[in-house]
Amino acid sequence: MAVKELRSKKLPVHAAAVYAKRVANTILGMPNEVLIESFWAPIKPIIQAQLESRMDSTIKSAHIQRLAQSVAPEVRVEKYRGLRFSIVDVESNDLILGDAAVIFHVSGAPEWKPFLDKNDDLVEVYLPLTADRLLVAGAGKAAVDTSIIRRQIALTSHTFFISATESAGNIQLSSEIGKGARPLSEDELRRISREAIAGFLPPGFNVD
């Protein structure tokens, strides 16, 4: 940067090191509030763009790793082992199927999710089978509120849901798609963030 600046002013580039050190000392001597405003503002969009470019490949890698795992790892089996599975007939005949397929009801915030994190306290699992039939898994007999299930399916879908009919209710629900969805779990997001940020730091630097 110093060389480029000196060349633009038609000055000898051999003084670049001295010029760079002078600028660095000036920056380090600034008060924090001035430094943040004058130094961070132009750099932030550059870092953000580089992080976004890294995220694309890192998210793809995370998806591949997840697909390579067992479809029923032991930690997931343990969460389901004590659940009671049942088929519930839905009189309203208006169930929809989200692109995440299954929705999880947990005793935390958010209460409805398209996946489970390892520390989630699972309450119930819902899987629509047809417009009038629902697979439910829970510790006891679940009380199914169709309006809640329909909305949560839409919220936790990423880009679409499937329905048997094109109703006014379904059209309205389509505006809710994605509001409660995330492509990855908390653990995976943390790992991706660490990997992306680590790319800007010296080897061995701890980003935790």
Side-chain angles (χ1 to χ4, degrees), residues 54-192:
R54 288 177 184 272
M55 286 295 183
D56 289 340
S57 60
T58 313
I59 288 174
K60 180 179 179 180
S61 174
H63 281 152
I64 292 173
Q65 290 179 21
R66 171 177 273 188
L67 291 171
Q69 294 173 353
S70 167
V71 293
E74 190 60 28
V75 64
R76 187 172 299 171
V77 170
E78 282 302 316
K79 285 185 178 288
Y80 302 152
R81 197 183 302 278
L83 300 180
R84 175 184 173 185
F85 289 79
S86 60
I87 301 294
V88 177
D89 291 323
V90 178
E91 294 183 3
S92 56
N93 194 33
D94 60 354
L95 288 176
I96 59 176
L97 177 65
D99 56 13
V102 178
I103 57 171
F104 298 92
H105 184 200
V106 300
S107 59
E111 289 187 27
W112 297 88
K113 306 172 73 172
F115 52 78
L116 278 182
D117 281 311
K118 64 181 180 183
N119 295 322
D120 284 336
D121 186 8
L122 181 61
V123 179
E124 289 139 357
V125 185
Y126 297 89
L127 171 62
L129 302 175
T130 62
D132 62 354
R133 185 160 289 185
L134 183 68
L135 175 64
V136 182
K141 186 175 181 180
V144 176
D145 186 326
T146 308
S147 61
I148 293 177
I149 298 298
R150 278 169 43 81
R151 183 165 187 267
Q152 294 304 327
I153 290 173
L155 286 169
T156 56
S157 295
H158 297 293
T159 55
F160 68 89
F161 62 76
I162 299 171
S163 63
T165 59
E166 183 179 0
S167 64
N170 286 341
I171 293 173
Q172 182 177 358
L173 277 179
S174 65
S175 65
E176 303 278 353
I177 291 174
K179 292 182 179 179
R182 283 195 320 224
L184 298 168
S185 68
E186 285 286 350
D187 293 335
E188 288 169 319
L189 286 171
R190 288 193 188 96
R191 182 179 64 79
I192 289 170

